[in-house]
Amino acid sequence: MSFSKHYVLAAGGTGGHMIPAYALGAELVQRGHRVALITDERGEKIPGMVDGGQVHVLPAGRITKDPRGWVKGLQAILKGRKMAMQLYQTFEPSAVIGFGGYPAFPAILAANKMDVPTIVHEQNAVLGRVNRLAARTVNAIATSYPDILKLKPKYRDKVHLVGNPVREDVLALRDEPYPPLTEDGIFRVLVTGGSQGASILSDVVPDAMAMLPMNLRRRLQITQQCREQDIETVRAKYAEHDIPAELATYLPDLPQRLGWAHLVIGRAGASTIAELTAAGRPAILVPLPIATDDHQTQNVREMVAAGGARAIAQPAFTAKELAKQMQKMALGPGALENAARFAKKCGRPEAVRDLADLVESIGTSPLSKTLKVKQERSGLSISPRPALAKEAAE
């Protein structure tokens, strides 16, 4: 017999945290459960919450390296924890699932205080700061890569490799073939810098396209996402090089464009790589050098090792180098098709299903909560959760 359960999802206000949270929320609702989301003001503005899901904005306190901000950060965290506990008293979650980002931390702390089971999901190949702080007390750590850096060995028995959930319209591309690419056919290149854009792509990509051999250059069709302050400069460059290009600051139909792209040039964010490997699209990736713990460099390693992508460190990302790498991928017979196949092998299309299974296996049902309360009132002892029992014994 199954019971409808309540789950709280907690995620910071970036697309990398919010997209997998939304994907899990939709899956849990489809399974008959109710979900609520804890986030910050930025996260509230990112669309994708399942119909009927509650959204709660909490303070997102930060403890940085600067001691001057510690008091203010701690106050915000404690305020957020109090607000989360008030939510849990009425919503009665079976489990709380954190996806990283500072708003997730008070949500996990509140769950620990109220003995609510917890899980964290890590999208990157390096365990994020909030997830590192929570690792000791959570019941499970769901990961997107087989090898995770910054994870203490004593917590490895909590790890479950599930992958990084992606949107349904991206996942649907997995069942579609790689778009045909003939010797004289249009060569479609998609350039995207992620949710924040990337000026380095605007600076380098147009000039790199102009350096390609004429037999490849004349076939190009570029779609490029640009920052608002860069778009007119990029437009002028493509016009100067006589290369057809469609530019936008936001691509609402990105999954559709990914579907017909032969090659993607972009950053190495977790969501980008999850979508590339779900759809099976080859890529040239430029890790963001200032990403926390250099996690984008780690993110791309699996896809590069498999042959599905090439990575260029930003200091080496010049028009000449990009043009060289594009020729290696695009001019070899069947090279792009092979890279697409290798990229797809890195995908984990069952990520949202496997994560939901993990959540359901750990979350308690309303009936079990009732039985627990009756047992406590009758004086019977209650065994601690296995993960926490082990921690207590250490």
Side-chain angles (χ1 to χ4, degrees):
M1 179 181 293
S2 62
F3 299 91
S4 176
K5 303 176 184 180
H6 296 179
Y7 294 106
V8 170
L9 316 179
T14 67
H17 297 310
M18 302 299 292
I19 289 174
Y22 287 149
L24 175 63
E27 176 69 16
L28 292 173
V29 167
Q30 187 176 3
R31 296 185 182 198
H33 306 303
R34 291 183 60 195
V35 298
L37 172 71
I38 287 176
T39 187
D40 56 13
E41 293 179 353
R42 292 185 304 159
E44 186 183 27
K45 296 176 183 178
I46 297 176
M49 185 58 176
V50 65
D51 290 342
Q54 303 178 19
V55 178
H56 302 269
V57 176
L58 267 62
R62 301 187 177 196
I63 305 298
T64 64
K65 294 181 180 180
D66 187 353
R68 292 175 294 180
W70 289 357
V71 173
K72 184 177 179 181
L74 181 59
Q75 288 175 340
I77 290 171
L78 293 177
K79 182 179 179 181
R81 185 184 72 162
K82 181 179 179 180
M83 293 173 65
M85 290 176 67
Q86 291 172 344
L87 168 64
Y88 300 167
Q89 288 173 354
T90 56
F91 192 71
E92 297 184 349
S94 294
V96 174
I97 304 94
F99 288 85
Y102 288 99
F105 191 45
I108 295 293
L109 290 177
N112 292 339
K113 184 71 173 179
M114 299 181 70
D115 198 33
V116 176
T118 53
I119 299 171
V120 291
H121 178 271
E122 180 55 60
Q123 301 87 49
N124 294 297
V126 181
L127 199 64
R129 291 176 181 174
V130 168
N131 286 347
R132 291 203 296 268
L133 289 171
R136 184 180 67 85
T137 60
V138 297
N139 295 75
I141 301 170
T143 64
S144 302
Y145 295 89
D147 298 315
I148 301 294
L149 301 183
K150 298 283 186 178
L151 174 67
K152 292 182 178 180
K154 64 181 178 180
Y155 301 139
R156 292 192 182 276
D157 61 345
K158 298 183 182 184
V159 170
H160 301 260
L161 176 60
V162 299
N164 193 10
V166 299
R167 295 170 286 185
E168 283 292 333
D169 44 4
V170 172
L171 194 58
L173 297 175
R174 194 171 182 85
D175 297 327
E176 299 180 7
Y178 182 76
L181 182 60
T182 63
E183 290 186 4
D184 295 323
I186 295 175
F187 179 32
R188 299 184 178 92
V189 180
L190 174 63
V191 185
T192 174
S195 60
Q196 303 300 316
S199 289
I200 186 70
L201 300 179
S202 297
D203 294 339
V204 171
V205 174
D207 291 337
M209 300 300 168
M211 292 181 179
L212 294 173
M214 184 55 67
N215 66 331
L216 183 59
R217 175 179 164 182
R218 65 180 175 79
R219 298 163 49 204
L220 287 172
Q221 174 63 58
I222 310 295
T223 298
Q224 183 162 347
Q225 176 204 12
C226 305
R227 288 182 173 179
E228 186 174 357
Q229 62 267 33
D230 299 332
I231 194 167
E232 292 306 323
T233 300
V234 176
R235 196 185 309 278
K237 282 187 177 182
Y238 280 122
E240 178 185 348
H241 299 319
D242 195 27
I243 296 174
E246 182 179 355
L247 310 179
T249 57
Y250 175 66
L251 298 172
D253 56 346
L254 185 61
Q256 179 181 347
R257 295 178 184 274
L258 180 63
W260 53 248
H262 296 107
L263 176 69
V264 177
I265 301 172
R267 288 297 196 190
S271 292
T272 297
I273 292 179
E275 293 184 346
L276 290 171
T277 56
R281 292 296 179 271
I284 296 175
L285 301 172
V286 187
L288 178 66
I290 61 171
T292 304
D293 298 316
D294 196 24
H295 64 253
Q296 289 201 4
T297 297
Q298 305 303 324
N299 288 351
V300 78
R301 286 187 173 181
E302 181 185 29
M303 194 175 174
V304 169
R310 293 172 182 258
I312 305 175
Q314 184 158 309
F317 186 63
T318 63
K320 183 178 180 179
E321 180 63 20
L322 176 58
K324 181 176 75 172
Q325 296 299 334
M326 283 189 65
Q327 290 179 68
K328 288 181 177 180
M329 295 188 75
L331 295 180
L336 280 171
E337 290 86 346
N338 288 334
R341 188 172 66 255
F342 297 145
K344 184 179 285 189
K345 287 183 178 180
C346 295
R348 296 180 174 87
E350 305 297 338
V352 69
R353 185 202 67 182
D354 292 344
L355 181 57
D357 288 347
L358 177 63
V359 167
E360 287 185 324
S361 72
I362 290 178
T364 57
S365 70
L367 177 60
S368 66
K369 285 187 175 183
T370 301
L371 293 175
K372 178 179 178 181
V373 171
K374 288 182 178 179
Q375 288 174 323
E376 289 173 339
R377 287 176 178 173
S378 66
L380 296 176
S381 63
I382 306 297
S383 299
R385 302 196 302 274
L388 295 186
K390 182 174 182 180
E391 288 292 334
E394 290 182 351

